[in-house]
Amino acid sequence: MKSVTDDAIVIGLLDYRESDRIVSLFTREHGRINGIARGARRSVKRFGGVLELFARLTVNFTHSDSLVTIREVDVFSIYPGIRSSFEGIAHAGYACELVSLLAPERQANQRLFRLVTAYLGHLDESSATASDRHFFEINLLNILGYRPPLDSCAGCGSNLAVFGGVWSATLEDGIFCKRCSGRGGLLDGATVSLLLESMKCGRFGQIVFDQNSIREAEAFLEAFIASNISRPLKSLAFLRLSP
């Protein structure tokens, strides 16, 4: 079977049998794929020890209906700056798990690939921040079609960036302005504005959330993401340990 080569980010790993490794990749041209790297735990020549979480690679593989077979890899970057700090590892691991749970299998999404690589590149050069994490989350949701209904009140249609919003734990009924609902999690108008602006801005580090907006955005985005995935995020507990 003919092999193909693609740019990829390692978003998941699982040791298999004595020497193999199951690798989850998010690729530029083929989307999220799962593959087997035979002998990866022993072969330094073929895989060079670079099959590690959030490494960016050029991967040669052969297609299959189930697991693709990973033949060779060349490293683009292992992001040493990320690996030098607990906070960087926590944020990068969280980003990879989000992609692994939300991105559909074998559907290319170059916008998402650019977002993920831009975030990893930013984390490699700069300290991890809650603002950049929320920037990544809201853009990932928007790109994948899970955009939260932040523009207007589900009841009266008023501008949430002006009046602020109230959301329930289930998020099934949308977001209401404070005049239409007085119970639930709060989103100040300033927080809504920052989330909306994040989807228009093209660069990490440009949108800065204040402490109140960080708290509100974190509670809202975690609840919204949880409502759209099949299991709890394992990386979230690790992320909460970081400052």
Side-chain angles (χ1 to χ4, degrees), residues 8 15 22 29 53 67 71 98 104 136 141 150 186 195 204 206:
D15 289 341
I22 304 295
E29 302 292 341
L53 190 63
L67 294 174
R71 299 163 58 89
L98 279 184
F136 175 80
L141 292 169
L150 292 165
L186 297 178
L195 290 171
F204 284 93
Q206 301 299 303

Side-chain angles (χ1 to χ4, degrees), residues 2-7 25 46-47 57-62 68-74:
K2 184 179 179 180
S3 64
V4 296
T5 300
D6 203 353
D7 294 336
L25 301 167
R46 288 179 62 202
F47 300 111
L57 312 170
T58 300
V59 181
N60 180 268
F61 60 91
T62 53
V68 305
T69 298
I70 300 171
R71 299 163 58 89
E72 292 181 303
V73 299
D74 289 316

Side-chain angles (χ1 to χ4, degrees), residues 88-153:
I89 292 170
H91 282 75
Y94 172 74
C96 288
E97 189 176 14
L98 279 184
V99 174
S100 71
L101 289 177
L102 287 170
E105 190 171 8
R106 302 198 184 202
Q107 292 185 26
N109 191 322
Q110 295 191 11
R111 283 183 66 199
L112 182 56
F113 188 83
R114 289 195 297 270
L115 176 70
V116 176
T117 54
Y119 188 34
L120 294 177
H122 184 72
L123 286 172
D124 193 47
E125 298 176 353
S126 308
S127 298
T129 68
S131 291
D132 289 331
R133 170 192 165 189
H134 299 327
F135 183 95
F136 175 80
E137 291 166 327
I138 194 67
N139 277 286
L140 176 141
L141 292 169
N142 185 43
I143 289 170
L144 289 175
Y146 295 100
R147 188 182 192 278
L150 292 165
D151 296 288
S152 58
C153 171

Side-chain angles (χ1 to χ4, degrees), residues 175-204:
I175 305 172
F176 294 86
C177 71
K178 297 174 185 177
R179 297 178 299 181
C180 289
S181 177
R183 300 179 61 184
L186 297 178
L187 281 176
D188 189 76
T191 306
V192 174
S193 294
L194 286 167
L195 290 171
L196 291 172
E197 188 62 30
S198 293
M199 289 184 281
K200 300 175 184 177
C201 177
R203 294 181 61 189
F204 284 93

Side-chain angles (χ1 to χ4, degrees), residues 8-64:
I9 299 291
V10 179
I11 59 172
L13 293 164
L14 178 66
D15 289 341
Y16 182 67
R17 296 179 175 171
E18 292 185 1
S19 61
D20 302 337
R21 181 163 280 175
I22 304 295
V23 186
S24 182
L25 301 167
F26 187 67
T27 68
R28 184 191 300 273
E29 302 292 341
H30 298 83
R32 180 174 62 84
I33 59 174
N34 294 311
I36 185 165
R38 301 193 185 280
R41 296 160 65 190
R42 293 180 179 175
S43 176
V44 175
K45 182 178 180 180
R46 288 179 62 202
F47 300 111
V50 296
L51 287 177
E52 299 293 342
L53 190 63
F54 59 80
R56 184 174 177 182
L57 312 170
T58 300
V59 181
N60 180 268
F61 60 91
T62 53
H63 276 291
S64 169

